[in-house]
């Protein structure tokens, strides 16, 4: 795991998305200041150029050449200045955007929508200031497209949850007011630290009164008031609940307290669904099959859903029209508690997985040597593959990377795997991994393989061999409960240097990662953004 991500999860991220609300030095001009400098009220600043010209026909103000560029050009470069997550706990977040606000009326107008489009709230003070601002100037609320509470916390402010409630800056009432003032919001990202404030009134607003809402992430929300509210809202007897919801990306990762009735009501209404994360929930086979055929799933996680059964899940993945173009599929299960896929289930599933798939997690499935031909075929287009607890030998694993010709094709096989999880595979030990004559994992020709995930015993053994790791160009990294063996350079192994340039140029970014760059994600992102905060923990730290 990269060091910057590890640091980001443990530090106090106390900055916010809007520069206005965090640092006096970098604070963009207030409406009063703008009127003083530009002699225009805020409503005029937000108006279109043609409207402004009609309001002030006698204005002889000269425009700089850059101000005469088409709006489409501004839309290309202004958003590049926005930062998805705080760089650390102290650095102002959108300093460059704030500077653009001070350039001219044209730059202010072009920058404002980007500055307010994606609003992040690390703590309640920033939320309170934001709410006060849009209450005073409702036009600004119409610019907001994302409300992001994924990094919300009171840690670092010296407050307990009880103190946070008594302060009354972020409550269910103020949150509802915020939603009322931001009617054009497309993405609502919440988490467990906010679940007591997401009550029935907020949920009614989200599911019944926001027709433009496309993404909802309620990660790890388990509070009693949250569960009770969602049960009430997602009831078949609720007359306000639409028959078809506009939501395309639905995240309920870790919402363990929701009963099966919630999924039975919700999933049949998600006709436009593309991303669905039901990890560690009580979803049933019937609810999964009730997903409308019009849905076009690209990302699906049903990890640790113990009420599901292997044959029903396989039937859904093989035959349901919504699952024909999956890119990300997470079927991770802890075998000490429950095994979803038997040998027969795996036999049925592997031949039918689509070629669109880039990430496949089969941890806990009953995989053996007979499945290697299908795994080898999948390795030709997958970038992530998890085979935890599989009954495979080192020779079986080597076959995923062998470049000999396939039986049914004259085209040499080339693995596209960048990440491989072998946690709990008994044939994998520190000694077998570093013995290149019999194990292909660390060889130069296994590239583009960059990340191997092992269990604690294997990683501890590799940590005791730092010189060997340095020789091969690999290094041990860890985060919370997980650990990886990462290709960091060429080492001194012959033939490895020719891959260094490609290794340096690949930062891990992929469109299907929704803004993430690291490998081995176990949580689906519901919005394109940098993965950090509590979302980072559930994505990369939680096993």
């Amino acid at each position: 795991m990269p060091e910057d991500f590890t640091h980001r999860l443990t530090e106090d991220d106390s900055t916010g998305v809007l520069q206005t609300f965090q640092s006096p030095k970098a604070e963009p001009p207030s409406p009063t200041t703008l009127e003083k400098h530009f002699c225009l009220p805020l409503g005029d600043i937000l108006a279109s150029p043609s409207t402004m010209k009609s309001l002030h026909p006698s204005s002889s103000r000269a425009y700089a050449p850059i101000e005469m560029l088409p709006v489409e050009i501004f839309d290309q470069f202004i958003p590049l200045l926005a930062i998805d997550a705080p760089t650390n706990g102290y650095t102002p977040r959108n300093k460059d955007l704030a500077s653009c606000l001070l350039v001219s009326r044209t730059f202010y107008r072009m920058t404002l929508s980007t500055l307010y489009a994606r609003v992040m709230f690390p703590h309640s003070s920033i939320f309170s200031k934001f709410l006060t601002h849009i209450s005073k100037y409702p036009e600004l609320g119409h610019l907001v497209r994302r409300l992001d509470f994924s990094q919300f916390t009171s840690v670092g402010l010296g407050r307990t949850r009880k103190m946070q409630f008594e302060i009354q800056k972020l409550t269910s009432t103020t949150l509802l007011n915020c939603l009322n003032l931001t009617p054009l919001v497309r993405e609502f990202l919440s988490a467990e630290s906010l679940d007591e404030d997401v009550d029935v009134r907020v949920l009614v607003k989200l599911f019944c009164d926001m027709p433009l809402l496309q993404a909802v992430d309620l990660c790890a929300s388990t509070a009693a008031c949250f569960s009770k509210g969602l049960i009430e809202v997602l009831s078949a007897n609720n007359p306000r609940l639409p028959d078809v919801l506009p939501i395309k990306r639905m995240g309920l990762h870790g919402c363990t307290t929701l009963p099966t009735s919630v999924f039975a009501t919700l999933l049949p209404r998600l006709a436009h669904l593309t991303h669905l994360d039901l990890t560690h929930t009580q979803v049933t086979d019937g609810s999964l099959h009730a997903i409308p055929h019009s849905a076009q799933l690209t990302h699906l996680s049903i990890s640790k859903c113990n009420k599901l059964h292997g044959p029903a899940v396989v039937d859904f993945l093989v035959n349901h029209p919504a699952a024909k173009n999956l890119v990300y599929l997470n079927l991770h299960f802890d075998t000490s508690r429950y095994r979803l896929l038997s040998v027969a289930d795996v036999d049925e599933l592997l031949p039918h997985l689509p070629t669109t798939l880039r990430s496949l997690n089969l941890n806990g499935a009953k995989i053996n040597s007979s499945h290697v031909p299908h795994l080898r075929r999948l390795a030709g287009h997958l970038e992530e593959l998890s085979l935890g607890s599989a009954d495979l030998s080192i020779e079986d694993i080597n076959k995923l990377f062998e470049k000999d010709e396939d039986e049914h094709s004259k085209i040499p096989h080339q693995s596209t795997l960048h990440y491989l999880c072998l946690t709990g595979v008994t044939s994998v030990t520190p000694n077998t991994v570093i013995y290149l004559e019999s194990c292909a994992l660390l060889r130069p020709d296994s590239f583009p393989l960059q990340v191997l995930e092992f269990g604690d015993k294997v990683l501890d053994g590799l940590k005791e061999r730092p010189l060997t790791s340095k020789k091969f160009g690999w290094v041990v990294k860890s985060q919370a409960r997980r650990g990886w063996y990462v290709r960091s350079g060429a080492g001194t192994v012959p033939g490895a240097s020719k891959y260094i340039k490609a290794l340096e140029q690949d930062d891990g970014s992929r469109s299907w990662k929704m803004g993430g760059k690291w490998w081995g994600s176990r949580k689906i992102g519901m919005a394109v953004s940098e993965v950090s905060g509590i979302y980072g923990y559930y994505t990369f730290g939680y096993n």
Side-chain angles (χ1 to χ4, degrees):
M1 177 65 59
E3 290 80 356
D4 60 339
F5 178 78
T6 303
H7 179 61
R8 188 177 300 115
L9 286 182
T10 58
E11 69 190 3
D12 170 29
D13 293 330
S14 59
T15 58
V17 68
L18 296 183
Q19 200 69 24
T20 311
F21 308 134
Q22 50 195 306
S23 174
K25 293 182 179 179
E27 184 175 358
S30 66
T32 303
T33 306
L34 287 168
E35 291 173 12
K36 177 181 177 181
H37 283 276
F38 300 136
C39 300
L40 282 173
L42 181 62
D44 292 353
I45 288 290
L46 296 176
S48 64
S50 58
T51 304
M52 290 176 61
K53 190 172 181 180
S54 63
L55 288 172
H56 305 277
S58 60
S59 175
S60 58
R61 175 181 177 269
Y63 289 87
I66 193 173
E67 294 182 273
M68 304 301 293
L69 291 173
V71 174
E72 292 79 6
I73 301 298
F74 278 95
D75 288 343
Q76 290 296 315
F77 71 82
I78 291 293
L80 298 178
L81 301 176
I83 299 174
D84 279 332
T87 53
N88 56 47
Y90 306 98
T91 305
R93 183 165 175 266
N94 276 316
K95 188 175 181 179
D96 293 332
L97 278 177
S99 298
C100 288
L101 293 173
L102 299 169
V103 174
S104 68
R105 287 174 292 187
T106 300
F107 266 81
Y108 183 87
R109 186 172 63 253
M110 298 301 179
T111 304
L112 203 60
S113 59
T114 298
L115 189 62
Y116 277 80
R118 299 177 296 183
V119 192
M120 181 183 290
F121 306 105
H123 50 76
S124 59
S125 297
I126 289 180
F127 174 80
S128 179
K129 293 176 183 178
F130 170 79
L131 182 58
T132 300
H133 210 57
I134 63 172
S135 297
K136 187 175 182 180
Y137 303 101
E139 306 97 326
L140 297 178
H142 287 255
L143 299 177
V144 179
R145 297 296 181 269
R146 177 189 299 171
L147 293 172
D148 187 352
F149 296 90
S150 63
Q151 298 200 38
F152 181 80
T153 181
S154 59
V155 176
L157 300 177
R159 301 171 185 165
T160 62
R161 176 169 285 195
K162 180 180 179 181
M163 293 170 63
Q164 195 80 352
F165 177 77
E166 292 172 348
I167 292 172
Q168 295 290 303
K169 287 185 176 179
L170 202 167
T171 66
S172 58
T173 299
T174 58
L175 184 56
L176 180 61
N177 291 340
C178 179
L179 291 172
N180 287 330
L181 291 168
T182 54
L184 303 183
V185 161
R186 304 293 199 276
E187 300 166 340
F188 180 82
L189 310 180
S190 179
E192 58 185 3
S193 56
L194 197 69
D195 56 2
E196 291 188 356
D197 299 307
V198 182
D199 65 1
V200 63
R201 295 178 301 161
V202 173
L203 292 168
V204 166
K205 181 67 178 179
L206 288 173
F207 287 95
C208 305
D209 197 25
M210 300 193 75
L212 299 179
L213 192 64
Q214 295 184 357
V216 177
D217 198 334
L218 302 170
C219 178
S221 297
T222 57
C225 59
F226 165 78
S227 300
K228 181 179 178 182
L230 203 56
I231 292 171
E232 183 176 336
V233 174
L234 297 179
S235 168
N237 298 322
N238 181 5
R240 294 190 59 187
L241 186 65
D243 292 333
V244 177
L245 292 168
I247 298 171
K248 294 182 178 181
R249 303 183 295 277
M250 187 73 232
L252 294 170
H253 186 112
C255 294
T256 56
T257 59
L258 297 179
T260 58
S261 61
V262 168
F263 305 99
T265 304
L266 174 63
L267 296 184
R269 287 171 162 80
L270 299 177
H272 310 292
L273 197 63
T274 60
H275 296 58
L276 180 62
D277 192 340
L278 299 176
T279 299
H280 209 177
T281 61
Q282 299 186 50
V283 65
T284 62
D285 299 332
S287 298
L288 191 64
H289 280 266
I291 294 175
H293 289 190
S294 59
Q296 297 182 3
L297 285 171
T298 59
H299 294 63
L300 175 64
S301 178
I302 47 177
S303 168
K304 303 180 182 179
C305 296
N306 294 347
K307 290 187 179 294
L308 294 177
H309 300 88
V313 170
V314 171
D315 180 52
F316 173 81
L317 295 173
V318 172
N319 299 314
H320 199 287
K324 295 299 183 181
N325 295 298
L326 286 170
V327 176
Y328 175 99
L329 177 60
N330 183 2
L331 301 174
H332 173 102
F333 276 79
D334 183 352
T335 55
S336 65
R337 298 183 179 182
Y338 183 75
R339 187 190 294 274
L340 178 69
L341 300 178
S342 65
V343 173
D345 296 329
V346 177
D347 288 341
E348 176 68 18
L349 176 63
L350 291 183
H352 296 94
L353 289 173
T355 57
T356 55
L357 209 57
R358 294 296 176 267
S359 178
L360 175 62
N361 192 328
L362 293 174
N363 282 355
K366 195 68 174 177
I367 294 174
N368 57 40
S369 298
S370 67
H371 301 125
V372 170
H374 293 300
L375 294 174
R376 178 178 163 83
R377 176 185 62 82
L378 291 169
H381 58 80
L382 286 175
E383 293 187 283
E384 291 183 344
L385 178 60
S386 298
L387 300 173
S389 302
D391 184 15
L392 298 174
S393 66
I394 292 298
E395 290 73 21
D396 293 330
I397 297 171
N398 288 342
K399 291 178 183 178
L400 301 178
F401 303 96
E402 292 177 357
K403 297 185 178 180
D404 55 319
E405 294 181 352
D406 288 332
E407 297 179 2
H408 305 292
S409 173
K410 297 299 182 181
I411 302 175
H413 170 76
Q414 174 63 55
S415 168
T416 58
L417 292 177
H418 288 68
Y419 164 90
L420 179 63
C421 176
L422 298 172
T423 303
V425 178
T426 56
S427 63
V428 176
T429 67
N431 289 331
T432 57
V433 169
I434 64 176
Y435 190 54
L436 301 193
E437 291 187 10
S438 61
C439 181
L441 293 175
L442 307 188
R443 295 176 190 168
D445 56 4
S446 69
F447 191 83
L449 185 66
Q450 299 177 30
V451 180
L452 291 163
E453 182 162 359
F454 297 131
D456 292 338
K457 291 183 178 180
V458 176
L459 289 174
D460 290 342
L462 293 172
K463 288 179 182 178
E464 296 172 357
R465 299 167 171 82
L467 294 180
T468 302
S469 296
K470 184 177 181 180
K471 173 184 175 181
F472 295 147
W474 291 72
V475 63
V476 176
K477 294 182 181 290
S478 62
Q479 174 65 42
R481 303 180 186 179
R482 298 175 64 186
W484 303 267
Y485 205 38
V486 181
R487 193 191 298 264
S488 60
T492 59
V493 179
S497 57
K498 62 181 178 180
Y499 300 109
I500 291 303
K501 185 175 181 180
L503 182 64
E504 293 174 347
Q505 291 177 343
D506 186 6
D507 66 352
S509 299
R510 300 291 188 276
S511 59
W512 55 266
K513 291 185 181 182
M514 302 296 287
K517 293 183 179 181
W518 191 238
W519 299 96
S521 166
R522 291 182 181 172
K523 178 189 177 301
I524 298 175
M526 297 299 146
V528 178
S529 64
E530 185 175 339
V531 180
S532 58
I534 194 65
Y535 285 8
Y537 172 74
Y538 283 105
T539 302
F540 298 115
Y542 184 71
N543 201 344

